[in-house]
Amino acid sequence: MGVFKYSPVDFLFTCLGLVFLLLDIVLDVWAVVTLYQEKAYVSFSVLLLFLVGSSFLVQAFSWLWYSYEDFRKYTKVDKYVNEGQLKILHLLQLGIYFRLCKLALTLEVLVFSKSSRLHVAVFLSHDLSMLRLIETFSESAPQLVLMLTIMLQRGELDHWAGAVCSSSIACSVTMYHRSLRSFLPDKQKQLIGSSIIYFLWNLLLVASRIAALALFASALPCFIVTHFVCSWVVLFFFVWRSKTNFMDGPCGEWLYRATVGLIWYFDWFNVGEGRTRFRTLIYHGYMLIDISLLCGLWCWKMITEPPYFEIPPPCAIITAVCVCAFYVLGLVFKMIYYKFCHPNLVKADLEGDDSEIAPGAAVTLKYTYLQCLAPCPRIPAVTEFLHYFGFQLKPV
C-alpha cells in the first residue's frame, strides 16, 4: 500500500524553497527602492501593484484554507495562535510566513526527534508550495515581464538576468511537482532525470511566453494591459466552463477560477476531470499563435519605427523566430516527459486494504476521500491538483 514519503531530495527542495522565499523578499525590496531612486514612478507603481496584489491574493487563499479546516490545530505552533490572532496575521500579510514557521518547526521535529507525524509535514509542505506557485504567477512572472520591458526600452537587456529569473519560475513549478509527488505510492518515485526534463520544458515554455510579452510591451506599452484583460477574460471563461470544484465555498471557487485564468496567461495549469490531451493541445495551439502575433508585432514595430538604439531588421526577425522556436522546443520536451518519464497511475496502483495501515502511516491514494490516521488539511483537494500533472485517478 502506498503511503506518504518524504525523501532526502524532497527535504532538500523544501529547504531551498524556504531560502528562496526569504531571498525573494530581499530582491523585491531592492527592485522597489531602485525604481524609486531612478524616479521611474510609473514602473515603480506597477511593480508595487504586483507586489501588493499578489500578497493579498496569497493571504486570501491561506485564510480560506484555514477556514475550510475549521481552524484545526495540527502542530504545536497552532496551539499558541487563536482564530482572531490568525486573522490579524493574515491582515498584516504574514499568514504565509506563519505557515513557513510551522513547516520549519515540523521538519526540525522530524529530523531531530524522529517523529511519526510525517503526513503533517507533507501537507504543510504541499500547502506552502501551492501558495508559492500562486505567488510565482501573480508576482514573479509579471514582475519579470516588467523588468525585461524596462531593459528592452533602455537597450540594456541582460540575458543572464532574464534566464535566472525564468529558471526561478520554472523551479517553483518543479518544486511544487516534487511536493505533489509526496502523495504518490513509494514505487512511483520521481527520478532526478525526470525532474530535470520537467524543469526544462517548463523553463522553455515560460521563458518564451515571458519574452514575447516583454517584447510586445516594450514596443506597444499601452496595449499590453488590453492584451492581458482580453486574454484573461477568454481564459477565465474556459476555466468556468471546466466546472472546477476545488474550494469548499462559492466565493473561494470564483477566486480560484480567476487565479487559474491568471496562471493560464503564462503557463498551462490543468483543472479538468478526465482526459486532458485535447484541452492541452487547444491551449498550447492558442498560446503559440498568440506568441507568434506578439513577436510579429514587435518585429514590425522595430522595422518601421525603430527606437533610439538601432536594431537591424535581420536581428529583429531572428529574435522573433527564436522566441517562437523555444516554445516549440518546450513542447517537444513536454512530449518526451509524458511519453517516457511520467508515471501513469491506474486503478490497480491505487487500491489497497485499509487493514494494512500501520501506526504512523499517513494516507493511501484513493479517489473517495483519502484514508488518514490523523486529520490532515484539505485531503479531498489533493485529488484535483493531481490532475495538474496528468494523474488520472479512477474511483475505487
Side-chain angles (χ1 to χ4, degrees):
M1 172 176 295
V3 298
F4 281 150
K5 57 183 183 293
Y6 207 69
S7 67
V9 177
D10 295 321
F11 177 78
L12 176 62
F13 271 106
T14 300
C15 294
L16 288 176
L18 303 183
V19 173
F20 286 147
L21 180 62
L22 298 176
L23 182 61
D24 185 58
I25 300 174
V26 177
L27 294 178
D28 289 341
V29 173
W30 174 81
V32 170
V33 173
T34 300
L35 290 177
Y36 181 80
Q37 291 177 343
E38 294 177 354
K39 298 182 179 180
Y41 297 122
V42 175
S43 300
F44 169 80
S45 301
V46 173
L47 178 58
L48 211 57
L49 177 64
F50 291 156
L51 297 177
V52 175
S54 174
S55 180
F56 274 98
L57 180 63
V58 171
Q59 301 300 325
F61 273 102
S62 178
W63 172 256
L64 286 173
W65 291 346
Y66 273 120
S67 63
Y68 294 157
E69 298 158 13
D70 295 326
F71 304 98
R72 295 174 184 170
K73 302 182 184 299
Y74 301 102
T75 66
K76 293 182 179 180
V77 181
D78 290 318
K79 299 178 181 179
Y80 298 100
V81 180
N82 57 36
E83 181 179 340
Q85 294 170 333
L86 193 60
K87 182 181 294 186
I88 294 176
L89 286 174
H90 282 80
L91 289 175
L92 296 176
Q93 309 302 301
L94 299 176
I96 189 173
Y97 304 109
F98 178 70
R99 289 180 177 271
L100 176 64
C101 292
K102 291 201 302 180
L103 177 59
L105 292 177
T106 303
L107 290 177
E108 180 184 6
V109 171
L110 285 174
V111 172
F112 294 103
S113 64
K114 300 185 183 298
S115 172
S116 61
R117 294 176 61 81
L118 176 62
H119 55 287
V120 176
V122 170
F123 273 106
L124 290 176
S125 176
H126 174 268
D127 286 352
L128 193 60
S129 297
M130 182 58 204
L131 292 175
R132 282 288 293 156
L133 190 69
I134 296 174
E135 183 185 37
T136 294
F137 289 104
S138 61
E139 177 195 319
S140 301
Q143 182 178 346
L144 179 56
V145 173
L146 175 64
M147 292 304 174
L148 291 177
T149 300
I150 295 173
M151 293 179 184
L152 287 168
Q153 290 177 339
R154 296 177 179 178
E156 302 172 352
L157 181 61
D158 188 346
H159 298 83
W160 287 108
V164 170
C165 293
S166 299
S167 300
S168 175
I169 295 174
C171 186
S172 296
V173 178
T174 305
M175 289 169 66
Y176 181 77
H177 184 224
R178 296 284 312 189
S179 172
L180 196 59
R181 285 298 183 91
S182 300
F183 295 103
L184 297 180
D186 290 337
K187 64 179 181 179
Q188 298 291 343
K189 290 183 178 180
Q190 174 76 26
L191 300 177
I192 296 298
S194 176
S195 293
I196 293 175
I197 296 177
Y198 189 90
F199 168 81
L200 285 176
W201 70 258
N202 275 284
L203 173 62
L204 291 170
L205 295 182
V206 171
S208 57
R209 177 61 173 172
I210 289 178
L213 292 172
L215 291 173
F216 178 76
S218 66
L220 299 167
C222 296
F223 291 95
I224 187 63
V225 176
T226 304
H227 177 268
F228 167 74
V229 173
C230 294
S231 300
W232 179 84
V233 170
V234 173
L235 297 172
F236 175 75
F237 172 77
F238 281 102
V239 177
W240 171 69
R241 289 292 298 168
S242 299
K243 299 179 180 179
T244 61
N245 188 28
F246 175 68
M247 307 292 280
D248 291 348
C251 294
E253 191 61 39
W254 283 110
L255 178 64
Y256 169 71
R257 292 170 179 173
T259 304
V260 173
L262 173 62
I263 295 175
W264 276 5
Y265 186 69
F266 296 100
D267 196 12
W268 171 247
F269 187 87
N270 188 21
V271 295
E273 298 278 348
R275 299 184 66 85
T276 59
R277 184 177 301 174
F278 182 68
R279 293 177 227 170
T280 305
L281 288 175
I282 292 178
Y283 173 83
H284 286 301
Y286 163 78
M287 198 59 59
L288 183 58
I289 293 174
D290 189 53
I291 289 175
S292 301
L293 289 175
L294 293 177
C295 292
L297 288 172
W298 173 81
C299 188
W300 168 75
K301 193 73 173 178
M302 291 300 100
I303 294 176
T304 57
E305 300 179 19
Y308 69 90
F309 56 92
E310 184 178 355
I311 298 180
C315 292
I317 296 174
I318 292 174
T319 301
V321 171
C322 286
V323 172
C324 298
F326 272 116
Y327 195 85
V328 174
L329 183 60
L331 293 178
V332 172
F333 274 101
K334 184 174 183 178
M335 288 188 290
I336 292 174
Y337 173 83
Y338 281 103
K339 182 67 176 179
F340 301 104
C341 305
H342 182 69
N344 295 314
L345 296 184
V346 295
K347 180 178 179 180
D349 295 325
L350 302 177
E351 290 180 334
D353 183 2
D354 290 343
S355 62
E356 296 178 5
I357 299 179
V363 174
T364 62
L365 270 176
K366 288 187 177 180
Y367 189 80
T368 55
Y369 297 116
L370 308 180
Q371 304 299 315
C372 188
L373 291 180
C376 290
R378 295 184 332 285
I379 291 174
V382 176
T383 56
E384 181 161 341
F385 269 108
L386 288 171
H387 290 293
Y388 172 44
F389 300 101
F391 302 140
Q392 305 300 325
L393 302 184
K394 301 180 180 180
V396 296

